[in-house]
Amino acid sequence: MNTINTRRTIRKYSDREVSDELLNRLLTEAARTQTMGNLQLYSVVVTRSEEGKRKLAPAHFNQPMVTGAPVVLTVCADFNRTSVWCRNRKAEPGYDNFLSFINASIDALLYTQTFSNLAEEEGLGLCYLGTTVYMPQMIIEALNLPKLVMPVATLTVGWPDENPPLTDRLPTEAFVHSETYNDYSPQDIDRLYAFKEGLEENRNFCKINNKETLAQIFTDIRYTKKDNEAMSAGMLEALRRQGFLD
């Protein structure tokens, strides 16, 4: 069976070493992924030291896998390297803008996903940290990132020391549209979310949080409007400091 069908988020890792040879091979192979204009608009900061992981941990809400994993990879949208190349080749770059950040972010995320697939094929366990974009300035300072470099993804990497259950996924018809986008009726939502909402763990999640619906867990607890607005402001400020916004 293809490993994508059995992939799990791994947050606990064994003491087994992730060799430089294996890691470098995977980092090299992942570069065969798609990239805009063949420019490879990404950079990866590899953190192995305990000190380095401790510096990164607060930006990720001190989740234990940050300091517990043998390796932490921070994947950055990087237009700095390309801009330096241009200036050293009698070309004046114009990549200090939002569109360039988006293009580099797409490159970085494509690289992140390709690396993840390759690593899991080798038996490594990964945790993708969505917290990377919550407090990017802390990561920028911890990793000494120059202008036109912005962290967009973080992976903790190691050999698994747990075997958590598979998480649920929406049915294909929930996200695949034929020819044009077809908006969702209340009946569609009832059908498409029935399995997710009916899972015992999700029903219990609502109960212990005193919420009527699973959706309220996300809107009222996990990803609130207040938090989203505050972190949006922080990200915009970081983008300004890094030179992607005026």
Side-chain angles (χ1 to χ4, degrees):
M1 180 182 290
N2 192 308
T3 56
I4 195 67
N5 293 314
T6 57
R7 73 155 310 278
R8 294 164 166 81
T9 295
I10 301 299
R11 296 178 173 86
K12 295 180 181 179
Y13 304 95
S14 74
D15 294 332
R16 180 182 171 189
E17 178 190 9
V18 178
S19 70
D20 286 336
E21 180 184 6
L22 174 59
L23 182 62
N24 289 337
R25 175 168 64 80
L26 293 172
L27 290 168
T28 300
E29 290 176 353
R32 297 307 306 173
T33 197
Q34 302 91 331
T35 171
M36 192 195 82
N38 201 29
L39 288 172
Q40 295 179 251
L41 303 170
Y42 49 80
S43 284
V44 185
V45 180
V46 180
T47 304
R48 284 185 176 273
S49 70
E50 296 303 317
E51 179 184 3
K53 286 182 274 190
R54 283 196 299 270
K55 287 181 180 179
L56 288 171
H60 299 291
F61 299 95
N62 291 306
Q63 296 178 87
M65 56 276 198
V66 177
T67 52
V71 180
V72 177
L73 302 180
T74 306
V75 187
C76 303
D78 184 352
F79 246 121
N80 174 63
R81 184 185 65 250
T82 301
S83 296
V84 172
W85 172 61
C86 288
R87 293 191 181 99
N88 279 272
R89 296 296 182 269
K90 300 179 181 179
E92 186 57 34
Y95 307 124
D96 53 346
N97 47 68
F98 185 65
L99 180 62
S100 295
F101 167 68
I102 293 297
N103 286 331
S105 293
I106 292 170
D107 261 25
L109 292 172
L110 285 168
Y111 181 90
T112 301
Q113 185 59 65
T114 300
F115 176 88
S116 297
N117 291 343
L118 292 169
E120 289 175 336
E121 288 286 347
E122 294 285 342
L124 287 165
L126 309 170
C127 182
Y128 174 87
L129 302 182
T131 46
T132 306
V133 296
Y134 289 0
M135 294 184 286
Q137 191 60 44
M138 295 179 69
I139 300 173
I140 290 166
E141 293 171 2
L143 300 180
N144 195 30
L145 302 181
K147 285 194 171 185
L148 298 185
V149 180
M150 187 78 177
V152 295
T154 300
L155 297 172
T156 58
V157 184
W159 300 105
D161 194 30
E162 64 174 342
N163 188 34
L166 291 175
T167 52
D168 65 278
R169 292 293 187 266
L170 293 171
T172 307
E173 63 175 317
F175 54 86
V176 174
H177 301 257
S178 178
E179 304 296 342
T180 61
Y181 189 100
N182 299 295
D183 210 350
Y184 303 92
S185 69
Q187 293 76 23
D188 292 331
I189 294 298
D190 288 345
R191 183 180 75 258
L192 297 173
Y193 282 83
F195 178 76
K196 179 185 286 288
E197 293 176 332
L199 289 171
E200 182 61 30
E201 60 263 36
N202 286 337
R203 294 167 65 90
N204 187 55
F205 204 23
C206 293
K207 182 179 180 180
I208 63 177
N209 285 284
N210 296 313
K211 294 298 178 182
E212 183 180 358
T213 70
L214 182 63
Q216 290 172 347
I217 297 293
F218 290 89
T219 60
D220 300 354
I221 299 174
R222 297 193 64 183
Y223 308 115
T224 68
K225 178 179 176 64
K226 179 181 178 182
D227 288 344
N228 287 336
E229 289 177 342
M231 289 184 289
S232 292
M235 186 173 189
L236 288 170
E237 178 59 28
L239 284 171
R240 291 187 186 93
R241 292 183 180 185
Q242 294 306 99
F244 283 112
L245 292 177
D246 292 333

